[in-house]
Amino acid sequence: MTDTYDAIVVGGGSVGVPSAYALARRGLKVLVLDRRPAVGQGDNKAAIGGVRATHSDPAKILLCTRTLEAVSTWKETHGDDIGWKPGGYCFPAYSEAVENTLRGLLPKQRTYGLVNDYVDANAIAELVPGIVRDGLRGGTYSPNDGQVSPLLLPVVLMRHAIRMGAELRVDERVTGYDIQGGAIRAVVTDKGRYEAPIVVLATGSDAAEHGKLLGVDIPVTPDSHEAGITAPVEHFLGPLVVDLRPGPEGKTVNFYFGQNHEGQIIFCYTPKELFVGTNRESQSEFLPILAARMISLVPRLKHLLVRRVWRGCYPMTPDGVPIVSNVESIRGLTLAVGMCGQGFMLGIGVGDEVASLALDGKYLLPKEASDTLRFERDFHAGKKEALK
Ligand SMILES: Cc1cc2nc3c(=O)[nH]c(=O)nc-3n(C[C@H](O)[C@H](O)[C@H](O)COP(=O)(O)OP(=O)(O)OC[C@H]3O[C@@H](n4cnc5c(N)ncnc54)[C@H](O)[C@@H]3O)c2cc1C
């Protein structure tokens, strides 16, 4: 027997769950399938939980603004704790080059309604207590950005979707798709076959493999990044801090950290040599390099006790911008893949876009923003995103 749904979301991660939530809100009978044992167990749980509208790409700015509107009011509106911590993002500048980059992004960000500003060194020192003052020129601060728990958000959103009638099947691997007459008909798994006229592909780092099953080339290549978290300390740090300088050790492009809603310091760096692939094993060099960078920026952090480190993937596209799009050659298929290093913060904004694309065949975003998300674009045409 085949079960029939209005829509099937393949992948219950950072974008699949919000997509299911948005489709269920539009009254559809939705099925979410994931090969892992619960929602949010893919690269979603590798995220450090930063949610910022501070980007250079208009689509990312607008999608993350939508996410921020939802997460910053979630508790008052729905009553659940999703680990929301306001406090913004802070990008300190220690060189003219970084200052120019940061100042250069502000006009476009303001066009899209962001209230980000370049502030002086005293303001940065107040935002980041203990930051080294020597050479500090100032920096940008975006007060409306914040942090959310990647462990809580997908569970909460999925629970709401289930209340609206959605179904979740975990430990179930999608192995094929049934396409007839140029339209998607069904999804085949290792346990069954499910029919629906709408299928949303939200399989993160595995997107290219699903492209092969669907007969389309989906240019998503994962690279892996490491992160870590400390034991909690008293709250002292409001913003998530991004140091855009390359590290003196020659191995890091930038690094970033913040204090989450539980008081833990959570941190990451971008390696100079990318680790292409899905290897998720931690490396011995990560912590010594990261610790040295963090202590040289904020010496008081030397007392922190690191609790654990982990590695996860950024599902990258060639131009650093996601693919949120219907597919001309397969009716009923909507792609929500290639989220790069921002799938968690994009999730809710992308979910609304997916529902509109799948049901109404059009973007909610203005054309100049949505064009960058299309599947049928030249992935090598434009400039790469400045704030990846
Ligand atoms: C160290 C690190 C820090 C990060 N920090 C942030 C951050 O602060 N903010 C932010 O926004 N982003 C951050 N990211 C990026 C973010 O984690 C990813 O962009 C995001 O999780 C991708 O979302 P996704 O839904 O595409 O993939 P996932 O969350 O991985 O979801 C894809 C799902 O598809 C399922 N799946 C795949 N194939 C199949 C199949 N055949 N059958 C059934 N199910 C299948 C998987 O099991 C998985 O659950 C970070 C990433 C890393 C590695």
Side-chain angles (χ1 to χ4, degrees):
M1 207 185 87
T2 304
D3 292 330
T4 305
Y5 295 86
D6 297 326
I8 298 172
V9 178
V10 182
S14 297
V15 292
V17 172
S19 298
Y21 171 74
L23 289 163
R25 278 180 69 182
R26 298 275 306 257
L28 269 65
K29 185 183 171 196
V30 183
L31 171 66
V32 177
L33 292 164
D34 203 292
R35 66 181 168 86
R36 291 190 164 90
V39 292
Q41 297 301 301
D43 289 317
N44 172 81
K45 74 172 179 187
I48 67 165
V51 181
R52 60 178 156 94
T54 303
H55 297 283
S56 49
D57 174 68
K60 286 188 185 177
I61 295 174
L62 293 171
L63 292 169
C64 290
T65 298
R66 214 185 275 157
T67 299
L68 278 164
E69 280 162 12
V71 294
S72 61
T73 55
W74 191 272
K75 191 147 192 198
E76 298 87 87
T77 313
H78 303 281
D80 322 275
D81 181 12
I82 54 166
W84 165 245
K85 187 195 164 211
Y89 262 67
C90 169
F91 289 72
Y94 284 89
S95 69
E96 198 181 342
V98 169
E99 179 176 336
N100 289 343
T101 302
L102 293 171
R103 284 187 186 275
L105 294 172
L106 288 174
K108 191 191 269 183
Q109 291 167 346
R110 289 188 184 141
T111 308
Y112 291 100
L114 305 190
V115 294
N116 301 2
D117 209 354
Y118 191 88
V119 296
D120 67 17
N122 289 336
I124 295 290
E126 242 176 71
L127 288 163
V128 189
I131 194 168
V132 165
R133 292 293 303 258
D134 196 20
L136 180 63
R137 304 165 69 93
T140 47
Y141 177 51
S142 52
N144 293 337
D145 295 337
Q147 294 173 62
V148 172
S149 164
L151 304 182
L152 292 174
L153 184 62
V155 176
V156 166
L157 286 179
M158 194 64 230
R159 204 177 286 149
H160 279 269
I162 287 170
R163 273 191 215 132
M164 291 184 284
E167 283 179 36
L168 170 66
R169 286 177 184 264
V170 292
D171 279 328
E172 189 156 347
R173 178 185 288 272
V174 170
T175 54
Y177 298 88
D178 186 353
I179 301 164
Q180 290 174 28
I184 196 111
R185 287 286 166 83
V187 175
V188 182
T189 74
D190 52 4
K191 295 189 180 149
R193 179 188 146 89
Y194 308 96
E195 286 188 353
I198 293 172
V199 170
V200 177
L201 188 75
T203 48
S205 295
D206 298 321
E209 292 304 313
H210 289 260
K212 286 182 195 146
L213 297 174
L214 287 156
V216 287
D217 180 21
I218 301 178
V220 172
T221 310
D223 56 56
S224 74
H225 295 251
E226 202 148 352
I229 195 162
T230 70
V233 291
E234 204 171 304
H235 282 280
F236 74 99
L237 182 63
L240 224 143
V241 181
V242 185
D243 184 350
L244 288 175
R245 288 175 295 178
E249 76 299 307
K251 295 203 164 187
T252 57
V253 175
N254 58 42
F255 90 105
Y256 42 105
F257 64 97
Q259 188 172 27
N260 70 12
H261 68 297
E262 291 179 313
Q264 296 164 295
I265 304 294
I266 192 160
F267 48 81
C268 255
Y269 68 61
T270 306
K272 196 169 170 198
E273 296 280 332
L274 289 177
F275 294 85
V276 177
T278 53
N279 186 341
R280 291 181 171 84
E281 283 177 18
S282 293
Q283 300 226 332
S284 56
E285 69 175 23
F286 170 72
L287 201 50
I289 289 176
L290 190 286
R293 284 213 65 170
M294 219 151 85
I295 293 165
S296 73
L297 186 72
V298 185
R300 65 188 287 193
L301 297 180
K302 69 181 179 197
H303 301 293
L304 292 173
L305 182 68
V306 174
R307 203 169 248 180
R308 69 186 176 93
V309 294
W310 64 88
R311 181 177 279 275
C313 291
Y314 288 8
M316 295 303 296
T317 57
D319 56 8
V321 179
I323 303 168
V324 183
S325 181
N326 289 342
V327 176
E328 276 171 19
S329 58
I330 307 177
R331 280 193 312 285
L333 176 66
T334 303
L335 303 180
V337 295
M339 295 297 139
C340 308
Q342 295 108 23
F344 180 67
M345 62 182 87
L346 287 162
I348 290 180
V350 166
D352 289 346
E353 214 62 41
V354 161
S356 178
L357 282 168
L359 286 167
D360 310 325
K362 60 180 186 204
Y363 288 97
L364 297 169
L365 292 174
K367 188 171 176 333
E368 83 267 15
S370 64
D371 274 354
T372 64
L373 301 173
R374 297 182 72 85
F375 178 53
E376 286 90 8
R377 69 182 188 250
D378 180 355
F379 285 93
H380 301 279
K383 212 173 112 211
K384 274 202 162 193
E385 251 273 273
L387 295 178
K388 281 179 285 174

mmCIF file of all heavy atoms in Angstrom, residues 85-121:
data_model
loop_
_atom_site.group_PDB
_atom_site.id
_atom_site.type_symbol
_atom_site.label_atom_id
_atom_site.label_comp_id
_atom_site.label_asym_id
_atom_site.label_seq_id
_atom_site.Cartn_x
_atom_site.Cartn_y
_atom_site.Cartn_z
ATOM 1 N N LYS A 85 18.805 34.353 22.372
ATOM 2 C CA LYS A 85 19.607 35.316 23.136
ATOM 3 C C LYS A 85 19.873 36.516 22.248
ATOM 4 O O LYS A 85 20.612 36.420 21.267
ATOM 5 C CB LYS A 85 20.924 34.689 23.571
ATOM 6 C CG LYS A 85 21.682 35.607 24.509
ATOM 7 C CD LYS A 85 23.119 35.196 24.675
ATOM 8 C CE LYS A 85 23.896 36.355 25.274
ATOM 9 N NZ LYS A 85 25.277 36.375 24.836
ATOM 10 N N PRO A 86 19.265 37.669 22.572
ATOM 11 C CA PRO A 86 19.568 38.864 21.785
ATOM 12 C C PRO A 86 20.991 39.325 22.108
ATOM 13 O O PRO A 86 21.623 38.776 23.003
ATOM 14 C CB PRO A 86 18.528 39.877 22.275
ATOM 15 C CG PRO A 86 18.102 39.404 23.617
ATOM 16 C CD PRO A 86 18.349 37.920 23.686
ATOM 17 N N GLY A 87 21.477 40.315 21.433
ATOM 18 C CA GLY A 87 22.823 40.816 21.753
ATOM 19 C C GLY A 87 23.609 41.195 20.517
ATOM 20 O O GLY A 87 24.655 41.812 20.606
ATOM 21 N N GLY A 88 23.102 40.811 19.340
ATOM 22 C CA GLY A 88 23.716 41.276 18.109
ATOM 23 C C GLY A 88 24.976 40.535 17.713
ATOM 24 O O GLY A 88 25.365 39.542 18.322
ATOM 25 N N TYR A 89 25.594 41.065 16.661
ATOM 26 C CA TYR A 89 26.892 40.593 16.177
ATOM 27 C C TYR A 89 27.834 41.784 16.200
ATOM 28 O O TYR A 89 27.423 42.918 15.936
ATOM 29 C CB TYR A 89 26.786 40.116 14.725
ATOM 30 C CG TYR A 89 26.643 38.621 14.525
ATOM 31 C CD1 TYR A 89 25.500 37.953 14.934
ATOM 32 C CD2 TYR A 89 27.649 37.890 13.880
ATOM 33 C CE1 TYR A 89 25.353 36.586 14.701
ATOM 34 C CE2 TYR A 89 27.506 36.529 13.644
ATOM 35 C CZ TYR A 89 26.359 35.887 14.059
ATOM 36 O OH TYR A 89 26.211 34.539 13.816
ATOM 37 N N CYS A 90 29.091 41.520 16.501
ATOM 38 C CA CYS A 90 30.092 42.580 16.529
ATOM 39 C C CYS A 90 31.294 42.138 15.702
ATOM 40 O O CYS A 90 31.800 41.028 15.880
ATOM 41 C CB CYS A 90 30.481 42.811 17.990
ATOM 42 S SG CYS A 90 31.895 43.854 18.204
ATOM 43 N N PHE A 91 31.703 42.984 14.756
ATOM 44 C CA PHE A 91 32.880 42.701 13.913
ATOM 45 C C PHE A 91 33.939 43.755 14.249
ATOM 46 O O PHE A 91 33.913 44.852 13.689
ATOM 47 C CB PHE A 91 32.523 42.816 12.428
ATOM 48 C CG PHE A 91 31.630 41.726 11.879
ATOM 49 C CD1 PHE A 91 30.286 41.653 12.219
ATOM 50 C CD2 PHE A 91 32.132 40.785 10.993
ATOM 51 C CE1 PHE A 91 29.456 40.662 11.694
ATOM 52 C CE2 PHE A 91 31.318 39.794 10.458
ATOM 53 C CZ PHE A 91 29.986 39.724 10.813
ATOM 54 N N PRO A 92 34.869 43.482 15.172
ATOM 55 C CA PRO A 92 35.901 44.484 15.468
ATOM 56 C C PRO A 92 36.873 44.650 14.306
ATOM 57 O O PRO A 92 37.120 43.698 13.567
ATOM 58 C CB PRO A 92 36.631 43.904 16.694
ATOM 59 C CG PRO A 92 36.207 42.485 16.822
ATOM 60 C CD PRO A 92 35.024 42.252 15.943
ATOM 61 N N ALA A 93 37.413 45.862 14.167
ATOM 62 C CA ALA A 93 38.377 46.129 13.075
ATOM 63 C C ALA A 93 39.711 46.546 13.686
ATOM 64 O O ALA A 93 39.778 47.480 14.489
ATOM 65 C CB ALA A 93 37.847 47.229 12.166
ATOM 66 N N TYR A 94 40.779 45.837 13.287
ATOM 67 C CA TYR A 94 42.124 46.179 13.731
ATOM 68 C C TYR A 94 42.984 46.659 12.558
ATOM 69 O O TYR A 94 44.158 46.943 12.739
ATOM 70 C CB TYR A 94 42.799 44.967 14.392
ATOM 71 C CG TYR A 94 42.285 44.681 15.793
ATOM 72 C CD1 TYR A 94 41.200 43.850 15.991
ATOM 73 C CD2 TYR A 94 42.888 45.267 16.904
ATOM 74 C CE1 TYR A 94 40.728 43.582 17.268
ATOM 75 C CE2 TYR A 94 42.427 45.003 18.191
ATOM 76 C CZ TYR A 94 41.347 44.165 18.367
ATOM 77 O OH TYR A 94 40.882 43.911 19.636
ATOM 78 N N SER A 95 42.403 46.687 11.366
ATOM 79 C CA SER A 95 43.194 47.143 10.217
ATOM 80 C C SER A 95 42.297 47.997 9.327
ATOM 81 O O SER A 95 41.063 47.887 9.366
ATOM 82 C CB SER A 95 43.712 45.948 9.412
ATOM 83 O OG SER A 95 42.628 45.310 8.761
ATOM 84 N N GLU A 96 42.962 48.825 8.502
ATOM 85 C CA GLU A 96 42.217 49.682 7.592
ATOM 86 C C GLU A 96 41.426 48.835 6.600
ATOM 87 O O GLU A 96 40.281 49.146 6.266
ATOM 88 C CB GLU A 96 43.206 50.584 6.844
ATOM 89 C CG GLU A 96 42.537 51.775 6.223
ATOM 90 C CD GLU A 96 43.540 52.645 5.472
ATOM 91 O OE1 GLU A 96 44.752 52.519 5.719
ATOM 92 O OE2 GLU A 96 43.074 53.435 4.635
ATOM 93 N N ALA A 97 42.040 47.710 6.172
ATOM 94 C CA ALA A 97 41.375 46.857 5.174
ATOM 95 C C ALA A 97 40.062 46.308 5.729
ATOM 96 O O ALA A 97 39.020 46.355 5.063
ATOM 97 C CB ALA A 97 42.300 45.717 4.769
ATOM 98 N N VAL A 98 40.089 45.803 6.967
ATOM 99 C CA VAL A 98 38.858 45.250 7.560
ATOM 100 C C VAL A 98 37.840 46.372 7.780
ATOM 101 O O VAL A 98 36.650 46.224 7.489
ATOM 102 C CB VAL A 98 39.171 44.497 8.876
ATOM 103 C CG1 VAL A 98 37.894 44.159 9.626
ATOM 104 C CG2 VAL A 98 39.959 43.216 8.585
ATOM 105 N N GLU A 99 38.322 47.519 8.275
ATOM 106 C CA GLU A 99 37.405 48.649 8.488
ATOM 107 C C GLU A 99 36.706 49.018 7.175
ATOM 108 O O GLU A 99 35.485 49.217 7.136
ATOM 109 C CB GLU A 99 38.156 49.862 9.041
ATOM 110 C CG GLU A 99 37.228 51.050 9.248
ATOM 111 C CD GLU A 99 37.900 52.257 9.896
ATOM 112 O OE1 GLU A 99 38.919 52.083 10.584
ATOM 113 O OE2 GLU A 99 37.373 53.368 9.703
ATOM 114 N N ASN A 100 37.473 49.084 6.087
ATOM 115 C CA ASN A 100 36.888 49.447 4.785
ATOM 116 C C ASN A 100 35.865 48.418 4.323
ATOM 117 O O ASN A 100 34.811 48.768 3.806
ATOM 118 C CB ASN A 100 37.982 49.621 3.729
ATOM 119 C CG ASN A 100 38.793 50.881 3.990
ATOM 120 O OD1 ASN A 100 38.353 51.771 4.738
ATOM 121 N ND2 ASN A 100 39.983 50.949 3.419
ATOM 122 N N THR A 101 36.190 47.133 4.507
ATOM 123 C CA THR A 101 35.236 46.080 4.120
ATOM 124 C C THR A 101 33.943 46.258 4.893
ATOM 125 O O THR A 101 32.840 46.234 4.329
ATOM 126 C CB THR A 101 35.819 44.673 4.431
ATOM 127 O OG1 THR A 101 37.042 44.537 3.737
ATOM 128 C CG2 THR A 101 34.865 43.563 4.035
ATOM 129 N N LEU A 102 34.060 46.434 6.204
ATOM 130 C CA LEU A 102 32.859 46.530 7.049
ATOM 131 C C LEU A 102 32.048 47.775 6.709
ATOM 132 O O LEU A 102 30.823 47.714 6.562
ATOM 133 C CB LEU A 102 33.262 46.548 8.525
ATOM 134 C CG LEU A 102 33.879 45.237 9.045
ATOM 135 C CD1 LEU A 102 34.439 45.430 10.455
ATOM 136 C CD2 LEU A 102 32.840 44.116 9.042
ATOM 137 N N ARG A 103 32.734 48.902 6.563
ATOM 138 C CA ARG A 103 32.010 50.147 6.222
ATOM 139 C C ARG A 103 31.354 50.019 4.844
ATOM 140 O O ARG A 103 30.253 50.507 4.625
ATOM 141 C CB ARG A 103 32.973 51.345 6.218
ATOM 142 C CG ARG A 103 33.358 51.838 7.607
ATOM 143 C CD ARG A 103 34.156 53.126 7.461
ATOM 144 N NE ARG A 103 34.708 53.615 8.706
ATOM 145 C CZ ARG A 103 34.037 54.381 9.586
ATOM 146 N NH1 ARG A 103 32.783 54.716 9.349
ATOM 147 N NH2 ARG A 103 34.620 54.803 10.680
ATOM 148 N N GLY A 104 32.046 49.330 3.936
ATOM 149 C CA GLY A 104 31.546 49.189 2.565
ATOM 150 C C GLY A 104 30.255 48.398 2.484
ATOM 151 O O GLY A 104 29.478 48.557 1.539
ATOM 152 N N LEU A 105 30.007 47.526 3.457
ATOM 153 C CA LEU A 105 28.791 46.700 3.426
ATOM 154 C C LEU A 105 27.570 47.438 3.971
ATOM 155 O O LEU A 105 26.434 47.064 3.689
ATOM 156 C CB LEU A 105 29.002 45.425 4.257
ATOM 157 C CG LEU A 105 30.046 44.437 3.731
ATOM 158 C CD1 LEU A 105 30.304 43.331 4.745
ATOM 159 C CD2 LEU A 105 29.576 43.838 2.407
ATOM 160 N N LEU A 106 27.813 48.487 4.747
ATOM 161 C CA LEU A 106 26.696 49.141 5.459
ATOM 162 C C LEU A 106 25.631 49.737 4.534
ATOM 163 O O LEU A 106 24.434 49.545 4.791
ATOM 164 C CB LEU A 106 27.221 50.212 6.418
ATOM 165 C CG LEU A 106 27.942 49.665 7.666
ATOM 166 C CD1 LEU A 106 28.550 50.814 8.463
ATOM 167 C CD2 LEU A 106 26.996 48.857 8.536
ATOM 168 N N PRO A 107 25.997 50.454 3.463
ATOM 169 C CA PRO A 107 24.933 51.069 2.642
ATOM 170 C C PRO A 107 23.938 50.041 2.123
ATOM 171 O O PRO A 107 22.722 50.244 2.205
ATOM 172 C CB PRO A 107 25.706 51.725 1.497
ATOM 173 C CG PRO A 107 27.076 51.959 2.037
ATOM 174 C CD PRO A 107 27.333 50.843 3.004
ATOM 175 N N LYS A 108 24.444 48.896 1.606
ATOM 176 C CA LYS A 108 23.521 47.895 1.084
ATOM 177 C C LYS A 108 22.667 47.316 2.229
ATOM 178 O O LYS A 108 21.452 47.133 2.094
ATOM 179 C CB LYS A 108 24.288 46.771 0.391
ATOM 180 C CG LYS A 108 23.346 45.851 -0.389
ATOM 181 C CD LYS A 108 23.998 44.590 -0.870
ATOM 182 C CE LYS A 108 24.595 44.736 -2.247
ATOM 183 N NZ LYS A 108 25.178 43.483 -2.739
ATOM 184 N N GLN A 109 23.293 47.036 3.366
ATOM 185 C CA GLN A 109 22.542 46.460 4.491
ATOM 186 C C GLN A 109 21.431 47.418 4.939
ATOM 187 O O GLN A 109 20.324 47.000 5.247
ATOM 188 C CB GLN A 109 23.498 46.156 5.659
ATOM 189 C CG GLN A 109 24.439 44.999 5.327
ATOM 190 C CD GLN A 109 25.590 44.847 6.296
ATOM 191 O OE1 GLN A 109 25.873 45.735 7.094
ATOM 192 N NE2 GLN A 109 26.295 43.723 6.215
ATOM 193 N N ARG A 110 21.731 48.719 4.909
ATOM 194 C CA ARG A 110 20.703 49.701 5.321
ATOM 195 C C ARG A 110 19.571 49.784 4.311
ATOM 196 O O ARG A 110 18.417 50.019 4.680
ATOM 197 C CB ARG A 110 21.346 51.059 5.546
ATOM 198 C CG ARG A 110 22.197 51.037 6.804
ATOM 199 C CD ARG A 110 22.687 52.410 7.160
ATOM 200 N NE ARG A 110 23.571 52.342 8.301
ATOM 201 C CZ ARG A 110 24.665 53.066 8.438
ATOM 202 N NH1 ARG A 110 25.017 53.923 7.505
ATOM 203 N NH2 ARG A 110 25.405 52.951 9.518
ATOM 204 N N THR A 111 19.904 49.594 3.036
ATOM 205 C CA THR A 111 18.852 49.588 1.998
ATOM 206 C C THR A 111 17.788 48.562 2.352
ATOM 207 O O THR A 111 16.614 48.733 2.053
ATOM 208 C CB THR A 111 19.470 49.184 0.628
ATOM 209 O OG1 THR A 111 20.567 50.002 0.385
ATOM 210 C CG2 THR A 111 18.468 49.291 -0.501
ATOM 211 N N TYR A 112 18.233 47.450 2.942
ATOM 212 C CA TYR A 112 17.285 46.379 3.269
ATOM 213 C C TYR A 112 16.806 46.460 4.722
ATOM 214 O O TYR A 112 16.366 45.469 5.296
ATOM 215 C CB TYR A 112 17.910 45.014 2.944
ATOM 216 C CG TYR A 112 18.058 44.831 1.458
ATOM 217 C CD1 TYR A 112 19.273 45.033 0.822
ATOM 218 C CD2 TYR A 112 16.949 44.518 0.685
ATOM 219 C CE1 TYR A 112 19.386 44.899 -0.558
ATOM 220 C CE2 TYR A 112 17.051 44.384 -0.700
ATOM 221 C CZ TYR A 112 18.268 44.576 -1.305
ATOM 222 O OH TYR A 112 18.367 44.453 -2.670
ATOM 223 N N GLY A 113 16.937 47.636 5.328
ATOM 224 C CA GLY A 113 16.300 47.884 6.622
ATOM 225 C C GLY A 113 17.133 47.556 7.847
ATOM 226 O O GLY A 113 16.644 47.664 8.974
ATOM 227 N N LEU A 114 18.394 47.168 7.673
ATOM 228 C CA LEU A 114 19.194 46.843 8.862
ATOM 229 C C LEU A 114 19.677 48.134 9.534
ATOM 230 O O LEU A 114 19.948 49.128 8.861
ATOM 231 C CB LEU A 114 20.400 45.968 8.493
ATOM 232 C CG LEU A 114 20.092 44.665 7.747
ATOM 233 C CD1 LEU A 114 21.345 43.794 7.660
ATOM 234 C CD2 LEU A 114 18.967 43.890 8.413
ATOM 235 N N VAL A 115 19.776 48.081 10.859
ATOM 236 C CA VAL A 115 20.192 49.283 11.591
ATOM 237 C C VAL A 115 21.659 49.174 12.022
ATOM 238 O O VAL A 115 22.101 49.831 12.963
ATOM 239 C CB VAL A 115 19.274 49.526 12.823
ATOM 240 C CG1 VAL A 115 17.867 49.858 12.385
ATOM 241 C CG2 VAL A 115 19.282 48.323 13.766
ATOM 242 N N ASN A 116 22.421 48.347 11.331
ATOM 243 C CA ASN A 116 23.838 48.138 11.651
ATOM 244 C C ASN A 116 24.611 49.455 11.542
ATOM 245 O O ASN A 116 24.297 50.292 10.714
ATOM 246 C CB ASN A 116 24.466 47.130 10.679
ATOM 247 C CG ASN A 116 23.752 45.798 10.717
ATOM 248 O OD1 ASN A 116 22.776 45.646 11.426
ATOM 249 N ND2 ASN A 116 24.243 44.843 9.953
ATOM 250 N N ASP A 117 25.649 49.563 12.387
ATOM 251 C CA ASP A 117 26.413 50.808 12.360
ATOM 252 C C ASP A 117 27.894 50.523 12.609
ATOM 253 O O ASP A 117 28.238 49.501 13.195
ATOM 254 C CB ASP A 117 25.888 51.747 13.451
ATOM 255 C CG ASP A 117 26.075 53.205 13.061
ATOM 256 O OD1 ASP A 117 26.715 53.471 12.014
ATOM 257 O OD2 ASP A 117 25.580 54.067 13.805
ATOM 258 N N TYR A 118 28.743 51.451 12.147
ATOM 259 C CA TYR A 118 30.161 51.396 12.504
ATOM 260 C C TYR A 118 30.329 52.220 13.773
ATOM 261 O O TYR A 118 29.934 53.378 13.823
ATOM 262 C CB TYR A 118 31.040 51.961 11.383
ATOM 263 C CG TYR A 118 32.501 51.668 11.607
ATOM 264 C CD1 TYR A 118 33.071 50.490 11.138
ATOM 265 C CD2 TYR A 118 33.291 52.536 12.348
ATOM 266 C CE1 TYR A 118 34.401 50.192 11.384
ATOM 267 C CE2 TYR A 118 34.628 52.244 12.609
ATOM 268 C CZ TYR A 118 35.179 51.064 12.113
ATOM 269 O OH TYR A 118 36.490 50.766 12.376
ATOM 270 N N VAL A 119 30.871 51.598 14.835
ATOM 271 C CA VAL A 119 31.012 52.311 16.113
ATOM 272 C C VAL A 119 32.497 52.406 16.476
ATOM 273 O O VAL A 119 33.321 51.679 15.929
ATOM 274 C CB VAL A 119 30.208 51.604 17.235
ATOM 275 C CG1 VAL A 119 28.717 51.642 16.935
ATOM 276 C CG2 VAL A 119 30.673 50.161 17.441
ATOM 277 N N ASP A 120 32.822 53.312 17.429
ATOM 278 C CA ASP A 120 34.242 53.518 17.727
ATOM 279 C C ASP A 120 34.786 52.451 18.686
ATOM 280 O O ASP A 120 34.046 51.590 19.189
ATOM 281 C CB ASP A 120 34.484 54.939 18.245
ATOM 282 C CG ASP A 120 33.838 55.189 19.600
ATOM 283 O OD1 ASP A 120 33.474 54.198 20.291
ATOM 284 O OD2 ASP A 120 33.696 56.364 19.984
ATOM 285 N N ALA A 121 36.089 52.551 18.944
ATOM 286 C CA ALA A 121 36.766 51.520 19.749
ATOM 287 C C ALA A 121 36.191 51.433 21.161
ATOM 288 O O ALA A 121 36.096 50.338 21.737
ATOM 289 C CB ALA A 121 38.266 51.830 19.789
#
